[in-house]
Amino acid sequence: MKARNAVGTVAVNAEPGYLDPYRNRWIAIVKASYIYIVFLLIVLVFSVVKLDQVRFFGRGHFLSPVSIVNLLRSSVPIITLAGSFTLLMISEHIDLSVGSAMSLSAVIYALLVRSGVSFLPAFLITMVLGVLCGYVNGALVMKLRITPVIATLVTLNVFKGIALLIVPNRISAIKSTDTIKMPLWINDYARKAVFLRLPAAFYVAIAVVVVLVIVQRKTILGKYTAAMGGNRTAAELSGINTVRIGWILYIIVGVSAAMAGIARASYMSLGDPLSGDGMELDCIIAVLLGGTNFYGGEGSVEKSVIGALIIVCVTVGLMTVVPPFWQMVARGSVLIFAVTLNYLLAKD
Amino acid sequence: MGDNVLEIRNLIKTFPGVTAVNDVSFDIRRNTVHCLVGENGAGKSTLIKILTGAEQRSYGTIRLNGDDYVAHNPKDARDKGISTLFQELNVVDQLTVAENLTLGMEVTTFGFLRNVGTEKMIDVLKNLEPSIDPRRKVSTLSVAKKQIVEIAKAVASESEIIIMDEPTAAISEGEIQRLFKIIRGLRDKSVTVIYISHRLDEIFELGDAVTVMRDGRHIDTRPVSDIRDRSELIRMMIGKTVFEKYEPKENPSTETILKVEDVSNDKLCNVSFELRKGEIIGFYGLVGAGKTELARAIYGVDRYDGSITFKEKTLESSPHKAIEAGIALVPEERRSEGLFTILTIRGNTCVMNMDKISRSGFVNNQSEKRVTAEYIRQLNIATHTMEKETAKLSGGNQQKIVFSKCLFADADLLLLDEPTRGIDVGAKSEIYQIIRDLAHDGKSIIIFSSELHEIVNICDTIYLLYEGVLKERIENGTVIDSEKILHTVTGGE
């Protein structure tokens, strides 16, 4: 039996919690809070750097009220998307088409507003479009069982194609022309201060995040999302309809993309068919920075939102010190950082 | 309700070319631990797959509590009262113990989770194993404790039968005792356990009744107390298998080609042996004994301590170097590791040694065809064209193509891992003949197999492996005591 024990040791050691409780606790603390520390550090760095020549938006300090408002206003789309994207990634799926769905929504919303539809109907119709985008993705991935990356890469191009088709030739976006004027109120939703100098769109985004936090922590959908991403076979054996759960998640992401598109169109007063480009990458970075396991099972909505803010801070902060093209490189570096961090954390 | 929880009658399952379960009938009594034993390929796992709904029977009836029982998938089986503890555990690592227990059975109001019903589940777990904290994440538990969580879930969901497929394969000695205590306790909770294990001692320690299967047939079902000892059980398992006659070599070579000294890694423990030119040696052991690991170590896939000398040169640990030195591996998983199944026979044959048929990077189609045709003739591969996709060939013919791949790579040493798995009887003896012919031509061969008669049939020297340790070396040609061999490889001293 001696040899048996030599082999058996591997299994005995497989209980890390009992080996070194202190080390484990430290890892747990670092895991739970590093994202906030990183966020504070980044804010601190950008606010300490003296921006003598190129001032932030030409209006002063990084932490001045004006620039904070600007920063939060421009981060509305990514905040709206980060939460639902987190849930999707916890279920071990991905949606590369979020950016295109967002662009398409922005174009449709702008088109509706320009043709005289008032705010609420335009908003709701665009939301229905978001449901449709999510439904299509869900059908491809969950029902037809096409690999998420491929399925949503296809819809990325389809949605983008439709958005480009809608915008007439030789015009870059849906905006005021000589004949039709874009109503001025389109701006109100994402720019007009309603409370603490911040616009309605910002509070809607926060509301979305709050709802998703509750969904993740308190509802059966949140639990099944984690179960499905952690071990799909076990989830199915326990009687969970994983196809339905995944489908619902894709629809939630589609709706979020539509809301993000409305916010973007409203912020820019036009419907740009390319305005959502690169959003999928930002979402992935935000979610990974927030510590969500790339292979599903666990993650946190609120931390992804912090991750989203980090991206915005880095982008905006760098805008003040480096030429625009370097921002792409910087964003790539942040992604590599996020993935590495994610890997290290997952390893224990 | 009768005494029998499960009645199996005339169960048959056929796969193309193989009858895996052949007219099996037996009963399982309520609230007992019923063991299922048999050699690899005896049909145990197919039987279990039918019970769990992973496979559908070809013919026969199964009655659960007197009612006809059909399961379309594992979920269906679980709903009907048969849960299975698979070797790959079905718990969600990222959730807590309590969350795992209630998974799929949550009580909710408008989709919001409520803490109702959790108590009952946790009580079941506490009852089985008080030391597991329900708030802990499952990923921090050992394999044994994860098993207990799964057992608790099965008990709480009122399963009548829990099937356990080698539950002790990956857990330590102390944990095994704890698990056994729990399994014994299940009898009092109106749960019947179907227990599958290769470790025969466990049957005597735990079982109430035992069913022995051999070659897809039901041999006997009787109370464990009616079985005198291990050797009687072993006799039932192997039966009176008539071995083909082994013929010793006429003038064996004395040249040592491979020398393995003190090879150890986490699955192997101080393995040493020598192999002569033209010799066939066989490693026999059950699943998990370390056969595949030894093959992988020699081939340089896995790291190890100790040294391996091939043709008087120390072998570097990399498959590339091994191939260069003249070693080829015929892997256990023929379809996934041995063949490019979407390529044709021609596309597979030369793939390990393309240099031999190409000049400055361009493949010479003519020589490729010539070589392929030659091997089809030599190994008697049944096909009318060399352009046939290998996926469409039978197991035996696929294996012959894997052989021809290795031969074309000019291998002097062939490592054959389960060379006849999933191959029907006729093709098996053809493969054996090929192996003998190769040895006659001066190739050295190591066979890793869990089929005893295969090893006894063709190997000059037999080594017995148990838990990564070489237990015994037997020169073939003498009288082979297969009972004693099985005794050794199932952990007997």
Side-chain angles (χ1 to χ4, degrees):
Chain A
M1 274 298 128
K2 203 174 167 202
R4 168 70 161 285
N5 287 337
V7 178
T9 44
V10 186
V12 177
N13 288 347
E15 209 159 6
Y18 286 150
L19 282 183
D20 188 352
Y22 292 103
R23 185 174 168 272
N24 217 45
R25 190 178 307 159
W26 274 110
I27 288 176
I29 291 172
V30 170
K31 265 187 173 182
S33 59
Y34 80 93
I35 181 84
Y36 302 105
I37 297 166
V38 171
F39 179 56
L40 287 179
L41 272 178
I42 285 175
V43 171
L44 202 71
V45 166
F46 281 123
S47 51
V48 166
V49 172
K50 270 280 174 214
L51 308 169
D52 287 331
Q53 276 92 34
V54 227
R55 294 202 154 167
F56 178 52
F57 285 141
R59 285 180 207 136
H61 201 265
F62 186 76
L63 278 186
S64 74
V66 180
S67 64
I68 289 178
V69 166
N70 265 328
L71 193 136
L72 289 179
R73 284 204 305 207
S74 59
S75 56
V76 166
I78 179 79
I79 292 178
T80 317
L81 271 168
S84 48
F85 210 86
T86 310
L87 290 182
L88 191 67
M89 280 186 72
I90 291 175
S91 79
E92 216 186 344
H93 285 88
I94 205 159
D95 183 357
L96 298 181
S97 74
V98 278
S100 294
M102 179 178 151
S103 305
L104 182 58
S105 305
V107 169
I108 296 287
Y109 179 73
L111 200 67
L112 287 168
V113 170
R114 197 179 62 175
S115 58
V117 182
S118 60
F119 173 70
L120 209 58
F123 192 93
L124 291 177
I125 292 169
T126 316
M127 295 275 275
V128 171
L129 174 80
V131 172
L132 217 64
C133 290
Y135 187 87
V136 170
N137 281 328
L140 294 178
V141 175
M142 308 310 300
K143 200 77 191 170
L144 299 180
R145 299 192 173 276
I146 302 172
T147 312
V149 172
I150 301 300
T152 57
L153 197 59
V154 170
T155 50
L156 180 154
N157 285 291
V158 172
F159 298 158
K160 194 177 191 168
I162 297 172
L164 287 167
L165 278 175
I166 291 170
V167 178
N169 280 342
R170 279 179 288 171
I171 300 178
S172 61
I174 301 290
K175 53 187 176 188
S176 296
T177 60
D178 300 335
T179 46
I180 325 167
K181 284 274 172 278
M182 181 69 83
L184 287 174
W185 60 259
I186 192 177
N187 231 318
D188 290 357
Y189 177 62
R191 280 188 188 268
K192 190 179 163 195
V194 290
F195 181 66
L196 291 176
R197 295 206 215 168
L198 289 164
F202 177 76
Y203 294 104
V204 170
I206 295 299
V208 168
V209 171
V210 171
V211 168
L212 291 176
V213 168
I214 294 171
V215 165
Q216 194 199 357
R217 292 191 178 175
K218 296 285 177 200
T219 70
I220 197 157
L221 179 63
K223 187 181 166 185
Y224 283 1
T225 302
M228 172 181 170
N231 184 339
R232 194 160 170 171
T233 320
E236 281 166 3
L237 274 179
S238 303
I240 297 172
N241 186 343
T242 52
V243 171
R244 205 177 79 187
I245 301 292
W247 213 328
I248 292 173
L249 292 175
Y250 271 108
I251 290 175
I252 295 178
V253 170
V255 170
S256 311
M259 293 173 78
I262 294 169
R264 179 61 61 87
S266 169
Y267 188 75
M268 292 159 65
S269 305
L270 50 80
D272 180 355
L274 300 176
S275 59
D277 276 19
M279 205 44 146
E280 63 284 347
L281 194 61
D282 282 0
C283 283
I284 295 170
I285 300 174
V287 173
L288 291 186
L289 268 177
T292 294
N293 190 333
F294 191 76
Y295 300 102
E298 51 194 341
S300 142
V301 168
E302 63 273 23
K303 283 186 191 164
S304 300
V305 173
I306 302 293
L309 288 175
I310 289 178
I311 299 172
V312 177
C313 285
V314 169
T315 316
V316 171
L318 285 176
M319 209 186 280
T320 60
V321 277
V322 293
F325 293 117
W326 284 98
Q327 288 167 36
M328 296 274 245
V329 179
R331 207 179 290 195
S333 317
V334 175
L335 176 64
I336 291 167
F337 171 75
V339 172
T340 314
L341 199 70
N342 200 278
Y343 171 72
L344 289 176
L345 284 171
K347 231 176 35 171
D348 280 301
Chain B
M1 278 197 280
D3 280 349
N4 297 330
V5 63
L6 202 69
E7 295 173 348
I8 296 170
R9 290 286 173 271
N10 308 105
L11 195 70
I12 296 177
K13 173 72 191 178
T14 53
F15 293 105
V18 185
T19 305
V21 175
N22 197 348
D23 198 12
V24 168
S25 306
F26 66 98
D27 298 333
I28 294 177
R29 291 172 69 84
R30 194 177 302 283
N31 306 344
T32 56
V33 176
H34 194 109
C35 301
L36 196 54
V37 296
E39 281 193 290
N40 294 321
K44 295 175 307 218
S45 34
T46 312
L47 179 67
I48 293 308
K49 278 181 184 160
I50 293 170
L51 287 179
T52 58
E55 296 276 2
Q56 297 305 315
R57 73 195 85 161
S58 310
Y59 180 79
T61 51
I62 302 173
R63 284 181 205 283
L64 179 66
N65 290 324
D67 300 327
D68 271 332
Y69 168 85
V70 182
H72 300 288
N73 55 53
K75 161 87 172 67
D76 194 23
R78 188 167 285 203
D79 289 345
K80 287 174 174 152
I82 300 187
S83 294
T84 309
L85 207 64
F86 292 102
Q87 276 179 324
E88 60 282 6
L89 291 171
N90 282 307
V91 283
V92 183
D93 273 347
Q94 290 85 350
L95 297 181
T96 65
V97 172
E99 283 176 322
N100 261 290
L101 287 174
T102 56
L103 193 63
M105 292 179 270
E106 292 86 351
V107 183
T108 57
T109 324
F110 304 119
F112 285 85
L113 292 167
R114 285 170 54 195
N115 273 334
V116 191
T118 325
E119 286 306 311
K120 195 189 123 218
M121 302 283 188
I122 291 172
D123 282 346
V124 173
L125 178 69
K126 286 267 182 242
N127 214 317
L128 292 177
E129 175 66 62
S131 75
I132 300 177
D133 181 352
R135 287 164 302 177
R136 271 179 78 171
K137 264 198 185 179
V138 168
S139 57
T140 65
L141 297 179
S142 65
V143 174
K145 287 191 172 160
K146 286 181 189 175
Q147 285 178 338
I148 294 170
V149 172
E150 267 210 75
I151 294 173
K153 192 174 174 187
V155 173
S157 59
E158 282 155 10
S159 293
E160 282 183 88
I161 298 179
I162 302 180
I163 300 170
M164 301 189 186
D165 188 6
E166 298 225 33
T168 54
I171 65 181
S172 70
E173 194 58 40
E175 291 172 315
I176 288 175
Q177 288 312 320
R178 219 161 31 182
L179 181 70
F180 282 4
K181 225 177 106 197
I182 288 170
I183 293 175
R184 285 190 202 104
L186 288 176
R187 279 183 283 212
D188 309 327
K189 294 187 171 67
S190 324
V191 175
T192 309
V193 175
I194 300 178
Y195 189 90
I196 300 153
S197 180
H198 280 302
R199 296 183 178 146
L200 297 185
D201 292 332
E202 297 181 356
I203 312 289
F204 289 98
E205 204 179 330
L206 196 63
D208 296 310
V210 59
T211 290
V212 181
M213 291 182 71
R214 188 202 315 146
D215 298 332
R217 290 175 185 280
H218 175 247
I219 300 303
D220 202 356
T221 297
R222 52 168 113 160
V224 172
S225 51
D226 282 7
I227 295 173
R228 241 175 303 123
D229 51 9
R230 286 176 66 96
S231 57
E232 190 180 348
L233 192 58
I234 289 169
R235 221 168 300 136
M236 288 161 74
M237 281 167 69
I238 52 180
K240 292 196 199 77
T241 318
V242 185
F243 295 131
E244 280 182 56
K245 190 100 173 77
Y246 163 78
E247 282 167 23
K249 290 239 158 41
E250 275 155 21
N251 34 16
S253 157
T254 50
E255 185 191 343
T256 300
I257 188 162
L258 180 80
K259 201 169 175 182
V260 172
E261 286 165 294
D262 281 329
V263 165
S264 305
N265 59 23
D266 54 350
K267 290 284 173 56
L268 299 169
C269 190
N270 293 325
V271 175
S272 306
F273 65 93
E274 283 185 13
L275 172 68
R276 292 189 305 269
K277 191 164 184 291
E279 189 185 23
I280 308 174
I281 65 173
F283 286 87
Y284 176 65
L286 300 170
V287 173
K291 299 185 302 278
T292 301
E293 287 75 13
L294 181 57
R296 287 169 63 93
I298 297 172
Y299 200 53
V301 185
D302 291 342
R303 306 220 146 269
Y304 55 85
D305 297 324
S307 79
I308 298 178
T309 320
F310 182 62
K311 291 181 186 165
E312 280 151 18
K313 268 185 246 149
T314 305
L315 202 59
E316 285 176 64
S317 188
S318 112
H320 181 69
K321 298 276 179 199
I323 295 172
E324 238 170 46
I327 300 179
L329 173 73
V330 175
E332 184 179 357
E333 299 293 332
R334 183 167 55 243
R335 281 169 182 277
S336 60
E337 295 173 1
L339 280 178
F340 300 95
T341 44
I342 58 163
L343 293 185
T344 60
I345 300 175
R346 180 161 69 91
N348 268 287
T349 307
C350 302
V351 81
M352 272 173 84
N353 200 353
M354 285 307 244
D355 287 347
K356 214 159 124 184
I357 52 157
S358 49
R359 181 173 291 167
S360 42
F362 288 94
V363 178
N364 184 335
N365 269 332
Q366 285 314 314
S367 15
E368 190 180 54
K369 279 182 189 158
R370 210 180 48 242
V371 168
T372 309
E374 173 62 20
Y375 279 116
I376 289 176
R377 194 188 57 76
Q378 244 182 48
L379 302 184
N380 196 16
I381 297 170
T383 176
H384 52 86
T385 163
M386 64 176 74
E387 305 298 337
K388 194 163 179 176
E389 276 173 40
T390 48
K392 291 178 183 155
L393 295 169
S394 73
N397 281 315
Q398 286 182 340
Q399 192 66 305
K400 288 179 189 172
I401 292 166
V402 181
F403 272 66
S404 58
K405 248 173 68 182
C406 298
L407 294 177
F408 186 67
D410 295 325
D412 294 317
L413 168 61
L414 291 174
L415 308 171
L416 313 178
D417 195 359
E418 304 284 358
T420 62
R421 168 159 300 173
I423 292 176
D424 58 65
V425 185
K428 267 185 189 177
S429 48
E430 262 190 278
I431 297 274
Y432 297 151
Q433 196 50 50
I434 291 172
I435 295 172
R436 285 197 199 97
D437 291 347
L438 289 173
H440 191 257
D441 294 345
K443 308 274 187 203
S444 307
I445 290 159
I446 307 180
I447 297 173
F448 304 86
S449 176
S450 47
E451 284 183 49
L452 183 57
H453 68 94
E454 162 170 313
I455 295 272
V456 174
N457 194 351
I458 43 180
C459 297
D460 303 316
T461 311
I462 299 165
Y463 291 90
L464 303 183
L465 264 177
Y466 177 71
E467 306 261 330
V469 182
L470 271 190
K471 287 287 192 185
E472 211 174 321
R473 176 178 189 277
I474 302 168
E475 288 283 350
N476 207 346
T478 56
V479 178
I480 297 287
D481 183 352
S482 45
E483 279 171 34
K484 193 163 156 282
I485 290 179
L486 221 68
H487 180 74
T488 306
V489 297
T490 49
E493 290 302 323

